[in-house]
Amino acid sequence: MATQLIVLAAGQGTRMQSDLPKVLHRLGGAPLFAHALAAGAALDPERTVLVTGHGAAGVAEAVAEIDPRIVIVEQDQQLGTAHAVRMAAAALAGAEGDAIVLYGDTPLIRPQTLQAMIAARKAGHAVVVLGFEAADPARYGRLVMDGRELTRIVEFKDASADERQITLCNSGVVAADCATLFDLIAEVGNHNASGEYYLTDIVEIARARGLSATAVTCPEEETLGVNSRADLAAAEAAFQTRRRAEALEDGVTLVAPETVYFSHDTVIGRDALVEPNVVFGPGVSVETGARIRAFSHLEGAHVGRGAIVGPFARLRPGAELANEARIGNFVEIKNAQVGEGAKVNHLTYIGDARIGEAANVGAGTVTCNYDGVAKHLTEIGARAFIGSDTMLVAPVRVGDDAMTATGSVITEDVPDGAMAVARARQTNKPGLAVKLFEKLRAAKAKRLKDRG
Ligand code: UD1
Ligand code: CA
């Protein structure tokens, strides 16, 4: 049976104190709503509808970047969760199977949890709600159960003193047959303490029709909704804890797991080793046996098998390290391929470049890739040896097995096997240093004497 996904993302997020719509704030390098979408994607949804409101244009743009098939509908006024879901009705007209309602600001929900909800639907419950035992139920809606049957959901504002004692709370996630869902929502009114159309009212409406409702539960963490920067930080912490555990589970050595930061899409191979204080920005893959040493920062980079990066290295987008490459301390690599076994070990900037296999780039080398207007390519051949403090003024090519002398400013191509020397020749003046020192010391002594 098909599944349809509805993601509510209209909320303003006033408490974020931000010009950015709440669901565009990032967690693990991806916007919040993308995490809910990723969990929902595990159900292989036929259609996905995202309901936007505040900052709709920006949200629509970000959604299209992730998946242009997602239908975006706008809720002009936030009249409640049922009203928000109703906005998706036209986009889901005629859709078959179950619909699942997720919240764009609730990023930690797990695919397995959604699958458990679908299983409960298959077991014959018309409405399946996701609940959790709240450590502090605060202002959450409460699930009123009668055995396995969910009899109603009552919002905190509308709850009696007894109902407020209930600790089983509503996460907001709901599953129901798609057509039935919209049918039930059509009956929802707004006669309650908030004057809003509550999605939660569909439980009582379903039961009045003789339909069954139940709750599936999950750990509270999965239902963590982001309403403030503090919530965002808490969600990030929970996300990182998860990713670290997954990496360890996958056979990655993390020397100090709590100091390593992952992105939503970080891929690390088995038997890779990550030292303390490493940050993985989006788009990084690290192959098996590679070693990422302490205090390195990587984004948009690929690290080949057995390569070593850092300590204190920076890999920027387009850094492609072949197997066994070595990138050392205070080296920055951007948009550059570093060949198999090539070494760039100290204090160097490599941008817009291709470095051949087994080349050796000396300390303090700079690819001068930018003329202030355009970027240019530097090519370094296989087995080439770049002397320390070489400036490679791009576009330029150093051939295979070629060499550059230390301190050279290379502005012209160096043929294969050639040695390029591009610096002033040294001359030694015998005895001149001693004379110079004498002169300087005499001048200093005179100054001190004159001052008295
Ligand atoms: C809702 C639930 C409550 C549950 C809680 C969990 C209802 C009536 N209440 O309450 O039982 O415990 O979530 O966090 O459903 N939204 C829209 N358009 C609207 C209103 C809301 O898109 O018109 C979106 C919000 O952006 C948010 C989500 O729906 O992502 C929940 O809305 P919110 O106003 O935060 O609901 P709560 O009052 O927290
Ligand atoms: Ca809320």
Coordinates of all heavy atoms in Angstrom, one line a residue, residues 402-406 408 410 412-414 418-422:
A402 N 59.7 16.7 -12.1 CA 60.3 18.0 -12.1 C 60.6 18.5 -10.6 O 60.1 17.8 -9.7 CB 59.5 19.0 -12.8
M403 N 61.3 19.5 -10.5 CA 61.7 20.1 -9.2 C 61.6 21.6 -9.2 O 61.8 22.2 -10.3 CB 63.1 19.7 -8.9 CG 63.4 19.1 -7.6 SD 65.1 18.9 -7.4 CE 65.2 17.3 -6.7
T404 N 61.2 22.2 -8.1 CA 61.3 23.7 -8.0 C 62.3 24.0 -6.9 O 62.2 23.3 -5.8 CB 60.0 24.4 -7.8 OG1 59.5 24.1 -6.5 CG2 58.9 24.0 -8.9
A405 N 63.1 25.0 -7.0 CA 64.0 25.3 -6.0 C 63.3 26.0 -4.9 O 62.3 26.8 -5.1 CB 65.1 26.2 -6.5
T406 N 63.7 25.8 -3.7 CA 63.2 26.5 -2.5 C 63.1 28.0 -2.7 O 64.0 28.6 -3.3 CB 64.1 26.2 -1.3 OG1 63.9 24.8 -1.0 CG2 63.7 27.0 -0.1
S408 N 61.2 29.7 -4.8 CA 61.0 30.1 -6.2 C 59.6 30.7 -6.3 O 58.6 30.2 -5.6 CB 61.1 28.9 -7.1 OG 62.5 28.5 -7.2
I410 N 57.2 30.6 -9.2 CA 57.1 29.9 -10.5 C 55.9 30.5 -11.3 O 54.8 30.4 -11.0 CB 56.8 28.4 -10.3 CG1 57.9 27.7 -9.5 CG2 56.6 27.7 -11.7 CD1 59.3 27.7 -10.1
E412 N 56.1 30.3 -15.0 CA 56.1 29.6 -16.3 C 56.1 28.1 -16.0 O 56.7 27.6 -15.0 CB 57.3 30.0 -17.1 CG 57.2 31.4 -17.6 CD 58.6 31.9 -18.1 OE1 59.4 31.1 -18.6 OE2 58.8 33.1 -18.0
D413 N 55.6 27.4 -17.0 CA 55.5 25.9 -16.9 C 56.9 25.3 -16.7 O 57.9 25.9 -17.3 CB 54.9 25.3 -18.1 CG 53.4 25.6 -18.1 OD1 52.8 26.2 -17.2 OD2 52.7 25.2 -19.1
V414 N 57.0 24.3 -16.0 CA 58.3 23.6 -15.8 C 58.2 22.2 -16.5 O 57.3 21.5 -16.2 CB 58.6 23.3 -14.3 CG1 59.9 22.7 -14.1 CG2 58.5 24.6 -13.5
A418 N 62.6 18.7 -15.4 CA 63.4 19.9 -15.2 C 63.5 20.4 -13.8 O 62.6 20.1 -13.0 CB 62.9 21.0 -16.2
M419 N 64.5 21.2 -13.5 CA 64.6 21.9 -12.3 C 64.4 23.4 -12.5 O 65.1 24.0 -13.3 CB 66.0 21.6 -11.7 CG 66.5 22.6 -10.6 SD 65.8 22.0 -9.1 CE 66.6 23.1 -7.9
A420 N 63.4 24.0 -11.8 CA 63.2 25.4 -12.0 C 63.7 26.2 -10.8 O 63.5 25.8 -9.6 CB 61.7 25.6 -12.1
V421 N 64.6 27.2 -11.1 CA 65.1 28.0 -10.1 C 64.6 29.4 -10.4 O 64.9 30.0 -11.5 CB 66.6 28.0 -10.0 CG1 67.1 28.8 -8.8 CG2 67.2 26.6 -10.0
A422 N 63.8 30.0 -9.5 CA 63.2 31.3 -9.9 C 63.3 32.2 -8.6 O 62.4 32.5 -7.9 CB 61.8 31.2 -10.3

